[in-house]
Amino acid sequence: MGNGETTKTGLWAHLFELWAKVCKLVIEGKRDPQKIIDFLQAVIMEPQEKFKLLLDLGTVTHPDGRCFRVTVLGHARKVMTTTSQERLDALTARGATLLGQLGLDLLRQQGLCEKLTKGSWYNSFEAGNFNCVPYFYTFSDGVWRLNLCPFESTWDDDARLLCFVEVKE
């Protein structure tokens, strides 16, 4: 038996062991069966795509004259986390330009921050800088705070992803 088969067999055994424990907890009344049903249904319905389009902000103009369509991406399903690498992969798949801090500044300077959902984090990856990720948080009163997060961080449901795709004329 090769390593792939051993690993697969081990995963199956672990899955059924966990399933037996969950069933026991439900039978003993220690877990809500409806919550288990809802969770399992979410697993079944889970989309392959990790991100979905939440908002199209329109275009911003770069200081060098290039225009970028800016979209906001969010998790495709609730109660999900993604890594910075998964976010970079999603941006690459969409042909995005990684503007980082400059992208956040362009949104602010060109008045597009007002369109963003309050109470969410918005990150903008920067080409060549994979040590930290610039992001800002929008408060309910419209104030926003700029910060940096380590690249190794995971991102929750309220962390939105800014996607800047150059508009070719």
Side-chain angles (χ1 to χ4, degrees):
M1 191 182 307
N3 283 344
E5 290 180 48
T6 303
T7 303
K8 191 174 184 180
T9 302
L11 287 174
W12 280 105
H14 187 66
L15 173 66
F16 286 113
E17 178 184 316
L18 289 174
W19 178 244
K21 287 179 182 179
V22 168
C23 289
K24 183 177 185 244
L25 290 169
V26 169
I27 290 168
E28 293 171 346
K30 295 180 180 177
R31 294 294 183 270
D32 180 357
Q34 189 59 53
K35 285 185 179 179
I36 304 297
I37 290 168
D38 292 345
F39 178 79
L40 291 173
Q41 189 62 45
V43 169
I44 291 168
M45 301 302 291
E46 179 180 319
Q48 295 298 317
E49 180 68 33
K50 293 187 181 207
F51 297 94
K52 65 180 178 181
L53 176 67
L54 298 179
L55 182 63
D56 185 339
L57 294 174
T59 58
V60 292
T61 304
H62 192 280
D64 67 8
R66 293 182 296 159
C67 289
F68 294 89
R69 172 147 311 277
V70 185
T71 55
V72 177
L73 306 175
H75 288 152
R77 63 181 175 89
K78 295 285 184 200
V79 192
M80 180 179 178
T81 60
T82 50
T83 65
S84 292
Q85 187 59 57
E86 289 171 315
R87 288 171 169 255
L88 271 176
D89 292 345
L91 292 172
T92 300
R94 288 168 173 78
T97 300
L98 306 177
L99 295 179
Q101 173 73 47
L102 176 61
L104 300 176
D105 290 342
L106 292 174
L107 287 179
R108 184 183 53 78
Q109 293 165 2
Q110 296 177 30
L112 296 178
C113 286
E114 291 76 31
K115 294 182 177 183
L116 299 174
T117 304
K118 307 301 183 246
S120 291
W121 305 93
Y122 293 87
N123 57 36
S124 176
F125 287 82
E126 186 173 340
N129 179 4
F130 302 118
N131 295 317
C132 58
V133 181
Y135 71 89
F136 65 86
Y137 181 79
T138 54
F139 291 92
S140 58
D141 60 2
V143 173
W144 57 273
R145 182 186 66 171
L146 182 66
N147 212 334
L148 296 171
C149 193
F151 185 82
E152 297 78 23
S153 299
T154 56
W155 302 89
D156 295 324
D157 289 333
D158 62 347
R160 312 302 166 98
L161 180 59
L162 294 168
C163 182
F164 297 86
V165 177
E166 188 171 358
V167 177
K168 306 282 186 185
E169 292 184 32

